[in-house]
Amino acid sequence: MRSLCVYCGSNSGSKPIYTERAIALGTRLAKDGITLVYGGGNVGLMGVVADSVLAAGGEVVGVIPEQLVNWEVAHKGLTRLEIVGSMHERKARMFDLSDGFVALPGGFGTLDEMFEMLTWRQLGIGDKPCAFFDVDGFYSPLMGMLDRMVAERFLHPDQRDDLWHGDDMDAMLAWMHAYKPAQADKWMDEKRRGAMR
Ligand code: AMP
């Protein structure tokens, strides 16, 4: 694993622990020689992760749409900043550049990006590991929502289990290094399954 994409808040959140854990993750990536790929911003937890990788001597590639550069939220001190035409292009480029995806706490943008990666993987487009790196139980309610999706047969249990959730960085990185994608199906009702036989 040579590069990891980190999705996270363009805000810093309400508690110092969000920033502390973002710094810990960035520092660890640099120490392990893993390049950070991220959204290229200098704001919120995004800026914190990027700065902590750089401060520890690591490499950071930012991928940012032109519109956000015009808003002057692009980080100016990265190893490389790639400017793309749209949010769609950014997602595709970040996917190409990364060997796995980690979500730190964040808002709509963070979830949108992470769930798109999970969706691509479900459709067989991507086969890269996806991890929710939790801080102070932030992602526990979301995991509850995923369990509800399984219980209500909107999400296959194999797909539900094909992601990592927790707050132990060593365990997360070990899981990502050893990752083999599940060969999971989507739910299929009996009628559709019968039609396919
Ligand atoms: P959010 O979780 O809603 O704060 O959005 C964060 C995610 O959306 C990041 O992973 C970025 O890829 C993208 N994003 C949102 N706001 C910005 C910004 N001001 N600068 C760069 N990227 C952003």
Side-chain angles (χ1 to χ4, degrees):
M1 202 165 57
R2 292 157 61 183
S3 60
L4 269 188
C5 179
V6 176
Y7 301 127
C8 59
S10 54
N11 294 287
S12 301
S14 61
K15 301 177 202 140
I17 192 157
Y18 295 125
T19 295
E20 287 160 22
R21 298 302 283 154
I23 292 172
L25 179 62
T27 307
R28 176 65 185 272
L29 294 184
K31 190 171 144 270
D32 287 3
I34 297 172
T35 298
L36 169 70
V37 177
Y38 88 117
N42 60 9
V43 288
L45 292 187
M46 300 176 70
V48 170
V49 179
D51 285 339
S52 57
V53 173
L54 294 167
E59 301 213 329
V60 182
V61 179
V63 184
I64 194 163
E66 215 165 358
Q67 182 196 348
L68 290 179
V69 177
N70 296 337
W71 289 359
E72 299 186 340
V73 293
H75 196 301
K76 301 275 164 52
L78 305 179
T79 315
R80 192 168 88 237
L81 181 69
E82 296 192 10
I83 300 171
V84 293
S86 66
M87 294 294 278
H88 293 299
E89 268 181 60
R90 175 205 245 177
K91 274 187 190 146
R93 184 65 184 143
M94 288 167 97
F95 174 81
D96 288 342
L97 288 171
S98 310
D99 294 326
F101 306 92
V102 175
L104 276 170
F108 278 161
T110 302
L111 290 189
D112 165 61
E113 291 169 321
M114 196 63 174
F115 276 100
E116 183 143 8
M117 291 307 107
L118 290 165
T119 307
W120 287 6
R121 208 183 54 203
Q122 178 173 268
L123 297 173
I125 300 167
D127 58 358
K128 300 178 184 180
C130 295
F132 288 86
F133 183 54
D134 215 340
V135 180
D136 202 24
F138 180 82
Y139 277 123
S140 293
L142 184 66
M143 296 303 124
M145 187 69 232
L146 299 188
D147 292 337
R148 175 90 190 259
M149 290 176 189
V150 172
E152 308 281 345
R153 296 176 65 87
F154 286 110
L155 174 63
H156 196 287
D158 292 350
Q159 295 288 355
R160 162 67 182 89
D161 293 340
D162 196 20
L163 55 84
W164 190 89
H165 166 238
D167 58 9
D168 180 335
M169 204 179 303
D170 290 331
M172 178 181 78
L173 291 170
W175 178 83
M176 296 189 97
H177 276 292
Y179 177 76
K180 293 211 173 41
Q183 299 296 314
D185 281 335
K186 281 178 66 67
W187 282 122
M188 236 186 247
D189 59 35
E190 276 309 308
K191 210 167 133 198
R192 207 170 134 216
R193 200 181 291 279
M196 290 183 73
R197 274 192 200 118

